């Protein structure tokens, strides 16, 4: 599927204020690139020395303000304030018009439903509904509707019953393991016994797990391809399903369950201009954003400018790793940007994170990312921009950068920005960027001084503060021997292990008697004699799940294996080695890069896809190994790159287990022990007697990064491009309306036309005073968006459940609030439906409130519905920080549809205050020092608030109660746009009315 052509739409606000339009105030900054075909606004032509000292992330804000300066949304004083960032940071609010909006389907569907309903409103007033389109280019990725209806066979992951390699652990109990008729050609092979997962040189219990070329053909191990195609089970019927069929069946279930939503999305892709819908089964929103939607620079109507984005997905910040400024916003904010309104933000402080020094050769990308995250978490940078600079940045690959940028929520920064440099350009050379686009990107970024050469310190901007991080301080660690939190530096591993042997039995100690510390026990395996001692390795598992899914560490393991094999090293045959990739993609890039055969040669063969070693699903150790461990009471070891390693979990006689990165797992497997100092002791000795140290075979970061770009990045982009171009056949065959306005199905429980535009007049009506209102809720402090906006599953006793039951749905068909965000009837009933809501009318947590006139306790929705039938307006009383927490699209829409006209609180979360005004709800703040309690309010009074026709910024108002009390409040109008939105009854009604 190819992206539709972007259409330039005129903001309805600019249309409404056409009388104020004049020549662009910064037209003198327009410049032309060398070829003469592309123009751009060049801030350097301001000839202001302050520009060259601005952080590059602030330069992006400045360019957007210059380009979008219309005298209404963006004013010349905003441009000057951004240019004066050093003095205005953390003080002045400025507008930011991003280049595009990113939506995922849960948060995207309410926005698109609102636009569809707005078209209906225009039809009623005799206006062309085709005028309603997003002003800002919008990408909507359908990635949140797939559920796991079919998955890998659960029997595959059952614990080993200890019956030896010849006992079947995968076959159903009714099928004896001895009856092994070969599968029919083309059919999925039966489950092999757990002992056969991998290759074996013998059929006896305890035989080694290495390939033996001397095996006769009839006794050679099953091919890896058979393991990869092990049957899958439908979880409901326990019938085998092949892997390709599993994907098809899951997609079919997704289509059946979400057909109404998907049909609506497809209609949106055809009906709206400036909307690109990425269908299901293409990829997750953040991955598609990184791999397909990212532009770095936009070209529109002969004008080039930086790419920037706001998105409704929490992973939007990943894009900052590519030099694209972007962060996550709530659904209402995204909807406002779609309709032409810039994001309002206080000029942020920018923390410069200076990376210096060289990364330790043994340090992996995971060590670096987690190390930087730890430093930033301790730096108190909440709400600030972080911008990386310094010579160390060049050592980070693009995947490293995007991972660090994705960790923003971990250290509470708004963005972690990596300006474009040569590493970024090299990355884009492996993606979907043409050479022409790369040349344009580089020349433009250099022309506007947005390109960084981190080695040139004179280019360093001025920052609010600078945090210096020495990359050399990040050293490789392992965790163990019993708990993940007990980290041990690899350089200190030998000393720490000896200490553990001597300590009393506990979290780290084994209390081995002094006379037994040097114990060595000989044993025979496969015709050869070996010796085990304390620290001997008997289990080594490379696993690429959760904390080790970064491609760089898996490639590093493969490259280390390659170098070790070429140096003549091997792994002792009694060590239980395995390779469990998280997905087939890992196997694919290990194979494509050419390192998989070397891993196999060391015994790390693909055993399948699923949890294995971490959960104790491991082939029993050889009898000789077990006997030697027991005979000498040895502290034998296991090393794995998973996330679980408790004592005895891998195998009951293996006491010490360590979590390590994949390359270190391979290294310890070759050494055969954890009792080694890699710096001073050789990893192994070649048949010629040459000592080989770990440093001799450890791959450099440059080697790993080059292989990552050449194999992983290229293959990912080729695969994504193929899926985008090929499209989804089910999506292609999905029927959808062809009309300009959406034909609402009144029986639908997923898609419904909301009532935001009901009774929409052509003329703006004067503000309506609030007369004799009751309090729907009487709340305390710290009421969060989690308390207000519905999310997650739909409780069976909730108002939303009652509604769905009335539509003849069973609880199994309820789905979730996320999936039903396009139905205002469900979402309104879910507003204030949190079981943790503390309503002072009730005295205990729960989604209940008091219907004051009758004295009855009802669900919040039922009480609001009764008030509306009686024609009674509603307010809410609250304490401090009302609306704190992450933003959600229904956090203001829900209260609006419940009939709430105003909220009186001690303080509001700033973003939520704007959301309330965007839905026509009046945010009122108690005067300093006053609270509901200090004023003696019970919440059961009637409240009246007189509103003058002419409202002003921070307007002082008076509230009268039926008990004869009166008190002052402040209406939180902070800008002219706040006043405009409130007068019109909210953003949506304002935009519709300007079009009418």
């Amino acid at each position: 599927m190819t992206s539709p052509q972007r259409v330039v739409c005129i903001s309805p606000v600019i249309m409404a204020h056409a009388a104020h339009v004049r020549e662009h105030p910064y037209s003198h900054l327009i410049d032309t690139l060398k070829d003469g075909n592309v123009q751009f606004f060049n801030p350097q032509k301001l000839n202001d020395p302050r520009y060259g000292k601005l952080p590059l992330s602030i330069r992006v804000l400045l360019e957007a303000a210059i380009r979008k300066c219309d005298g209404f949304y963006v004013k010349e004083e905003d441009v000057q304030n951004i240019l004066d960032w050093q003095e205005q940071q953390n003080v002045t609010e400025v507008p930011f018009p991003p280049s595009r909006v990113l939506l995922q389907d849960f948060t995207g569907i309410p926005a698109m439903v609102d636009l569809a309903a707005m078209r209906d409103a225009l039809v009623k007033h005799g206006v062309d509904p085709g005028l309603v389109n997003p002003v800002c280019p919008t990408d909507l990725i359908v990635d949140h509707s797939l559920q796991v209806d079919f998955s890998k066979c659960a029997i595959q992951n059952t614990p080993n019953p200890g019956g030896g390699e010849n006992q079947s652990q995968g076959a159903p109990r009714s099928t004896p393991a001895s009856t092994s008729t070969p599968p029919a050609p083309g059919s999925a092979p039966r489950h092999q016994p757990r002992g056969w997962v991998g290759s074996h040189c013998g059929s006896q219990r305890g035989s080694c797990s290495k390939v033996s070329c001397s095996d006769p053909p009839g006794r050679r191990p099953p091919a890896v391809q058979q393991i990869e195609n092990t049957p899958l089970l439908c979880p409901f019927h326990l019938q085998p399903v092949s892997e390709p069929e599993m994907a098809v069946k899951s997609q079919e279930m997704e289509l059946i369950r979400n057909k109404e939503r998907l049909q609506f999305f497809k209609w949106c892709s055809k009906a709206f201009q400036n909307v690109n819908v990425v269908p299901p089964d293409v990829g997750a929103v953040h991955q598609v954003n990184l791999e397909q939607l990212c532009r770095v620079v936009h070209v529109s109507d002969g004008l080039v400018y930086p790419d920037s984005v706001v998105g409704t997905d929490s992973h939007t910040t990943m894009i900052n790793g590519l030099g694209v400024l972007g962060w996550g916003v709530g659904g209402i904010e995204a909807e406002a940007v779609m309709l032409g309104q810039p994001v309002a933000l206080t000029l942020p402080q920018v923390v410069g994170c200076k990376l210096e020094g060289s990364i330790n050769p043994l340090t992996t990308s995971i060590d670096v990312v987690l190390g930087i995250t730890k430093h930033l978490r301790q730096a108190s940078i909440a709400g600030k921009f972080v911008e990386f600079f310094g010579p160390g940045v060049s050592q980070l690959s693009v995947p490293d950068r995007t991972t660090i940028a994705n960790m923003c929520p971990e250290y509470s920064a708004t963005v972690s920005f990596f300006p474009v440099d040569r590493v970024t350009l090299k990355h884009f050379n492996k993606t979907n960027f043409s050479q022409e686009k790369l040349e344009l990107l580089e020349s433009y970024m250099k022309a506007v001084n947005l390109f960084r050469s981190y080695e040139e310190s004179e280019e360093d901007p001025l920052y609010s503060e600078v945090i210096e991080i020495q990359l050399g301080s990040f050293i490789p660690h392992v965790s163990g021997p019993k708990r993940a939190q007990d980290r041990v530096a690899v350089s200190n591993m030998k000393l720490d292990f000896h200490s553990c042997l001597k300590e009393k039995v506990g979290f780290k100690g084994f209390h081995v008697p002094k006379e037994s510390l040097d114990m060595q026990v000989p044993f025979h395996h496969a015709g050869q004699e070996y010796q085990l001692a304390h620290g001997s390795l008997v289990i080594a598992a490379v696993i690429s799940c959760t904390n080790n899914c970064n491609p760089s560490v898996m490639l590093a393991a493969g490259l280390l294996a390659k170098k070790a094999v070429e140096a003549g090293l091997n792994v002792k045959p009694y060590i239980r080695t395995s390779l469990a990739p998280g997905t087939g993609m890992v196997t694919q890039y290990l194979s494509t890069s050419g390192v998989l055969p070397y891993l196999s040669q060391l015994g790390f063969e693909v055993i399948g896809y699923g949890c294995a070693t971490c959960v104790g699903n491991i082939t029993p150790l050889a009898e000789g190994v077990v006997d030697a461990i027991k005979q000498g009471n040895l502290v034998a070891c296991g090393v794995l790159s998973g996330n679980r390693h408790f004592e005895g979990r891998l195998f009951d006689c293996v006491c010490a287990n360590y979590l390590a990165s994949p390359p270190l797992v391979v290294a310890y497997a070759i050494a055969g022990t954890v009792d080694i100092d890699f710096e001073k002791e050789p990893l192994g000795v070649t048949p010629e007697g040459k000592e080989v140290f770990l440093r001799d075979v450890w791959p450099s970061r440059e080697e790993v990064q080059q292989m990552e770009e050449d194999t992983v990045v290229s293959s990912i982009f080729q695969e994504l491009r193929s899926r985008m171009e090929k499209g989804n056949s089910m999506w292609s065959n999905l029927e959808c309306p062809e009309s300009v306005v959406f034909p609402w199905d009144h029986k639908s429980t997923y898609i419904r036309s909301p009532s935001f535009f009901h009774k929409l007049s052509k003329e703006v009506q004067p503000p309506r005073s609030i007369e004799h209102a009751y309090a729907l809720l009487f709340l305390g402090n710290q009421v969060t968006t989690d308390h207000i906006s519905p999310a997650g599953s739909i409780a069976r006793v909730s108002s939303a459940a009652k509604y769905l039951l009335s539509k003849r749905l069973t609880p199994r068909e309820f789905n979730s609030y996320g999936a039903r965000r396009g139905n205002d009837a469900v979402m309104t009933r879910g507003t204030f439906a949190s079981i943790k809501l503390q309503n002072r009318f009730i005295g205990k947590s729960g989604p209940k409130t008091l219907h004051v006139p009758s004295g009855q306790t009802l669900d919040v929705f039922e009480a609001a519905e009764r008030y509306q039938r009686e024609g009674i307006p509603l307010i809410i009383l609250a304490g401090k920080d009302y609306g704190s927490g992450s933003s959600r699209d229904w956090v203001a829409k829900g209260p609006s549809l419940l009939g709430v006209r105003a909220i009186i609180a001690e303080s509001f979360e700033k973003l939520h205050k704007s959301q309330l005004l965007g839905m026509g709800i009046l945010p009122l703040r108690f005067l300093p020092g006053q609270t509901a309690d200090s004023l003696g309010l019970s919440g059961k009074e009637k409240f009246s608030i007189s509103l003058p026709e002419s409202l002003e910024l921070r307007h002082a108002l008076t509230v009268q109660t039926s008990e004869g009390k009166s008190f002052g409040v402040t209406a939180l109008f902070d800008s002219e746009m706040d006043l405009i939105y409130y007068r019109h009854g909210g953003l949506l009604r304002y935009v519709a009315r300007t079009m009418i």
Side-chain angles (χ1 to χ4, degrees):
M1 187 197 76
T2 57
S3 299
Q5 182 180 1
R6 295 297 189 189
V7 178
V8 178
C9 298
I10 301 174
S11 167
V13 175
I14 296 176
M15 291 169 58
H17 297 269
H20 300 285
V21 175
R22 54 187 173 84
E23 183 183 357
H24 198 290
Y26 292 101
S27 58
H28 61 285
L29 301 184
I30 293 178
D31 210 340
T32 305
L33 288 180
K34 293 178 181 178
D35 59 9
N37 294 324
V38 180
Q39 293 183 317
F40 62 99
F41 284 92
N42 191 350
Q44 297 213 86
K45 293 182 71 174
L46 289 168
N47 296 319
D48 193 316
R50 291 176 295 178
Y51 179 72
K53 290 301 180 181
L54 290 177
L56 275 73
S57 52
I58 300 299
R59 296 180 201 181
V60 176
L61 298 182
L62 179 64
E63 189 282 337
I66 290 173
R67 177 169 37 88
K68 290 287 189 177
C69 188
D70 59 4
F72 183 72
Y73 274 141
V74 184
K75 302 175 182 178
E76 291 182 59
E77 64 186 84
D78 296 319
V79 173
Q80 293 304 314
N81 284 333
I82 299 174
L83 194 58
D84 194 30
W85 169 80
Q86 284 288 346
E87 300 298 326
Q88 301 298 329
Q89 58 180 296
N90 214 30
V91 175
T92 303
E93 187 172 276
V94 296
F96 171 54
S99 302
R100 56 189 175 95
V101 175
L102 181 71
L103 305 174
Q104 44 97 327
D105 51 354
F106 274 11
T107 50
I109 197 166
M112 303 314 298
V113 164
D114 289 345
L115 293 185
M118 192 182 296
R119 285 193 168 186
D120 293 343
L122 263 64
V123 170
K124 292 178 181 178
H125 286 82
V127 179
D128 179 10
L131 291 175
V132 177
N133 291 291
V135 175
C136 187
T138 301
D139 295 291
L140 194 158
I141 292 83
V142 185
D143 73 331
H144 278 53
S145 57
L146 182 66
Q147 293 185 18
V148 183
D149 293 299
F150 301 90
S151 61
K152 278 282 184 183
C153 171
I155 296 177
Q156 235 178 293
N157 295 329
T158 54
N160 190 320
E165 294 184 357
N166 289 332
Q167 278 200 358
S168 171
Q169 298 169 33
R173 293 187 179 182
S174 59
T175 306
S178 58
T179 60
S180 58
T181 57
S187 65
R190 292 193 177 97
H191 287 284
Q192 296 292 346
R194 177 65 62 182
W196 278 99
V197 178
S199 30
H200 302 264
C201 62
S203 60
Q204 297 301 314
R205 181 177 187 269
S207 58
C208 78
S209 60
K210 309 296 181 289
V211 176
S212 173
C213 296
S214 61
D215 280 347
R219 290 181 55 194
R220 287 184 184 172
V224 171
Q225 284 79 6
Q226 288 182 313
I227 302 302
E228 294 180 12
N229 291 328
T230 48
L232 308 151
L233 291 187
C234 164
F236 301 111
H237 308 102
L238 297 182
Q239 296 299 315
V241 182
S242 69
E243 191 157 1
E245 186 182 353
M246 176 196 68
V248 172
K249 285 185 174 292
S250 291
Q251 291 173 25
E252 288 176 350
M253 286 298 295
E254 178 184 11
L255 182 63
I256 293 171
R257 182 185 294 111
N258 297 283
K259 185 177 180 180
E260 295 175 28
R261 296 171 64 242
L262 296 177
Q263 283 178 322
F264 177 73
F265 283 139
K266 190 166 184 180
W267 174 81
C268 291
S269 69
K270 295 182 176 182
F272 290 109
Q273 298 172 344
N274 265 3
V275 172
N276 171 40
V277 176
V278 178
D281 199 39
V282 170
V285 56
H286 55 284
Q287 286 299 124
V288 175
N289 189 29
L290 285 175
E291 298 163 9
Q292 186 68 23
L293 304 178
C294 171
R295 299 164 177 79
V296 187
V297 294
H298 279 265
V299 180
S300 177
D301 290 342
L303 190 69
V304 60
Y305 50 93
D307 186 13
S308 57
V309 61
V310 291
T312 58
D313 184 79
S314 60
H315 298 285
T316 303
T317 54
M318 289 186 78
I319 204 70
N320 292 277
L322 296 175
V324 176
L325 189 64
W327 61 85
V329 296
I332 295 177
E333 294 76 48
E335 202 166 330
V337 174
M338 290 167 62
L339 294 171
Q341 181 189 357
V343 176
L345 77 158
T346 301
L347 264 176
Q349 293 179 292
V350 182
V351 177
C353 186
K354 187 175 186 179
L355 303 183
E356 296 185 299
S358 298
I359 298 174
N360 186 305
L362 300 185
T363 299
T364 66
S365 292
I366 292 174
D367 297 318
V368 174
V369 169
L370 294 181
I372 291 175
T373 300
K374 180 181 178 181
H375 273 274
L376 294 177
R377 187 186 293 120
Q378 297 170 346
S380 300
I381 54 176
K384 301 176 184 178
F385 281 15
V386 175
E387 185 168 303
F388 289 85
F389 73 109
V393 177
S394 300
Q395 300 177 55
L396 301 181
S397 68
V398 166
D400 292 342
R401 299 177 187 192
T402 56
T403 306
I404 293 169
N406 186 46
M407 300 292 277
C408 277
E410 291 290 326
Y411 42 86
S412 302
T414 302
V415 298
S416 285
F417 189 72
F418 288 86
V420 173
D421 67 341
R422 57 179 179 80
V423 174
T424 319
L425 294 179
K426 184 179 178 182
H427 168 79
F428 283 123
N429 193 38
K430 301 291 183 181
T431 66
N432 58 349
F433 277 46
S434 64
Q435 188 60 37
E436 180 184 5
K437 177 67 180 292
L438 279 173
E439 292 174 359
L440 172 67
L441 189 161
E442 184 175 2
S443 61
Y444 171 73
M445 293 303 236
K446 289 181 176 179
V448 294
N449 204 4
L450 285 174
F451 189 88
R452 276 305 315 256
S453 175
Y454 293 109
E455 289 75 17
E456 304 295 334
S457 59
E458 62 270 14
E459 294 183 13
D460 292 348
L462 295 177
Y463 293 104
S464 307
E465 61 177 301
V466 173
I467 298 172
E468 293 188 3
I469 296 179
Q470 290 292 332
L471 294 176
S473 65
F474 303 142
I475 58 176
H477 285 78
V478 296
S479 294
K482 301 180 182 182
R483 303 187 304 174
Q485 60 264 45
D486 296 324
R487 301 183 74 213
V488 183
V490 173
S491 59
N492 196 44
M493 180 66 163
K494 187 180 183 75
L495 290 175
D496 188 81
F497 181 71
H498 284 187
S499 174
C500 290
L501 292 178
K502 299 172 186 177
E503 285 186 19
K504 293 181 179 180
V505 175
F507 289 132
K508 293 197 68 172
F510 297 100
H511 198 55
V512 175
K514 186 176 181 179
E515 62 273 14
S516 301
L517 289 174
D518 297 325
M519 173 76 69
Q520 292 190 348
V521 180
F523 71 99
H524 285 82
H525 178 80
Q528 293 191 33
E529 182 175 299
Y530 301 93
Q531 286 188 332
L532 289 184
H534 295 298
S536 290
L537 202 71
V538 293
I539 299 170
V542 173
I543 304 164
S544 68
C545 68
T546 59
N547 55 322
N548 283 300
C549 60
N550 188 313
S552 66
V553 291
M554 294 300 291
L555 291 172
L559 279 170
L560 189 149
K562 179 178 184 293
K563 290 173 178 284
V565 169
E566 291 172 345
L569 302 181
N570 55 43
V571 175
K572 295 179 176 64
Y574 60 81
I575 298 176
R576 280 284 177 252
T577 51
S578 61
L579 171 59
T583 67
M585 174 63 79
V586 180
T587 304
Q588 178 183 332
Y589 67 66
L590 289 176
S591 177
T592 304
S593 61
V595 299
L596 191 59
Y598 297 97
L599 285 164
S600 298
Q601 195 165 335
L602 293 180
F604 293 98
E605 297 166 332
V606 176
I607 63 166
Y609 304 91
C611 293
T613 307
C614 281
V615 294
N617 289 354
I618 185 170
T619 306
L621 300 175
E623 285 184 351
V625 172
V626 175
D627 292 342
I629 293 173
K630 292 181 178 179
Q631 178 184 335
N633 198 21
L634 299 176
V635 179
C637 298
V639 179
L640 66 154
S641 63
N643 56 10
R644 292 292 185 272
H645 69 314
F646 304 123
E647 185 177 11
R649 183 183 179 108
L650 308 190
F651 202 76
D652 54 6
C653 66
V654 182
C655 300
N657 298 304
Y658 290 90
L659 301 181
S661 66
L664 281 175
V665 172
V666 177
Y668 279 114
I670 295 171
T673 180
V674 300
D675 186 13
I676 182 173
D677 184 337
F678 285 131
E679 185 63 32
K680 300 176 181 178
E681 300 175 66
L683 195 63
V685 180
T686 68
E688 294 77 25
K690 179 184 177 182
E691 291 185 342
V692 179
F693 288 81
L694 181 59
R695 57 179 173 270
D696 298 327
V697 295
W698 190 271
S700 67
R701 285 185 62 82
E702 291 74 20
E703 286 179 283
V704 174
Q705 289 178 2
Q706 186 64 48
M707 182 172 283
E708 186 174 23
E709 291 287 347
D710 291 344
T711 60
V712 181
V713 173
S714 295
S715 62
I716 285 175
F717 278 86
Q718 289 171 4
E719 173 69 16
L720 181 63
R721 189 183 305 116
S722 174
R723 290 203 305 271
M724 294 284 282
E725 292 173 353
K726 181 181 177 182
N728 182 309
S729 58
M730 294 182 182
W731 173 265
S732 300
N733 296 328
L734 185 66
E735 295 182 356
C736 75
E738 299 290 338
S739 55
V740 177
V741 293
F742 187 71
W744 307 97
D745 181 358
H746 298 292
K747 296 180 181 179
S748 173
T749 58
Y750 280 98
I751 307 294
R752 229 175 75 122
S753 178
S755 59
F756 301 134
F757 304 101
H758 291 181
K759 300 179 181 179
L760 177 67
S761 62
K762 189 174 182 178
E763 301 298 331
V764 182
Q765 303 299 317
R768 290 185 301 139
S769 295
I770 301 172
E771 300 290 344
H772 309 299
Y774 277 113
L776 177 64
L777 298 164
F778 190 5
L779 306 172
N781 299 331
Q782 298 291 331
V783 175
T784 70
T785 52
D786 281 357
H787 296 117
I788 305 168
S789 179
S793 60
I794 298 173
R796 297 190 178 191
V797 295
S798 65
S799 294
K802 295 174 185 176
Y803 166 79
L804 294 173
L805 288 170
S806 72
K807 299 295 182 180
R808 299 184 178 181
L809 296 182
T810 64
R812 187 185 181 93
E813 298 170 307
F814 283 178
N815 215 322
S816 65
Y817 283 116
R820 295 191 180 275
R821 280 183 126 72
N823 186 329
D824 64 298
V826 172
M827 301 305 289
T828 305
R829 285 166 171 79
T831 303
F832 295 113
S834 170
I835 60 172
K836 295 184 179 181
L837 182 72
Q838 295 283 348
N839 182 7
R840 295 174 61 177
F841 282 151
I842 303 302
K844 60 181 180 179
S845 60
K848 300 286 185 180
T849 195
L850 177 71
H851 180 255
V852 178
S854 67
Q856 289 182 287
T857 298
L858 303 172
D859 285 346
V860 173
F861 173 78
E862 292 173 356
E865 188 178 38
R866 183 179 294 187
Y867 281 125
Q868 289 197 50
R869 285 200 305 265
E870 296 165 349
I872 298 174
L874 298 172
I875 66 166
I876 291 174
L877 296 175
K880 298 176 181 177
D881 300 325
Y882 180 82
S884 57
S886 59
S887 173
R888 290 191 179 145
D889 46 7
W890 278 95
V891 80
K893 289 180 178 178
S896 173
L897 293 179
L898 286 175
V900 175
R901 296 276 309 280
I903 297 175
I904 307 175
E906 294 175 48
S907 64
F908 291 83
E909 199 277 333
K910 184 176 180 180
L911 179 59
H912 184 57
K913 183 271 300 182
S914 299
Q915 294 167 344
L916 294 173
L917 287 168
M919 291 308 303
I921 297 176
L922 185 60
L924 302 173
R925 189 178 63 196
F926 287 111
L927 297 181
Q930 292 187 349
T931 67
D933 290 335
S934 70
L935 293 169
L937 301 178
S938 68
K940 299 178 182 179
E941 306 91 339
K942 292 181 181 180
F943 298 84
S944 296
I945 308 166
S946 179
L947 299 179
E949 287 192 16
S950 178
L951 290 169
E952 300 174 352
L953 299 183
R954 295 280 166 160
H955 204 120
L957 300 173
T958 300
V959 181
Q960 299 280 349
T961 73
S962 56
E963 303 296 324
K965 295 178 181 178
S966 66
F967 56 93
V969 293
T970 302
L972 299 182
F973 301 121
D974 294 326
S975 67
E976 288 296 328
M977 288 310 305
D978 286 348
L979 287 169
I980 290 173
Y981 288 160
Y982 183 72
R983 291 191 189 106
H984 282 264
L987 166 70
L988 297 174
R989 297 173 71 87
Y990 166 64
V991 173
R993 188 172 281 122
T994 55
M995 290 183 178
I996 294 171

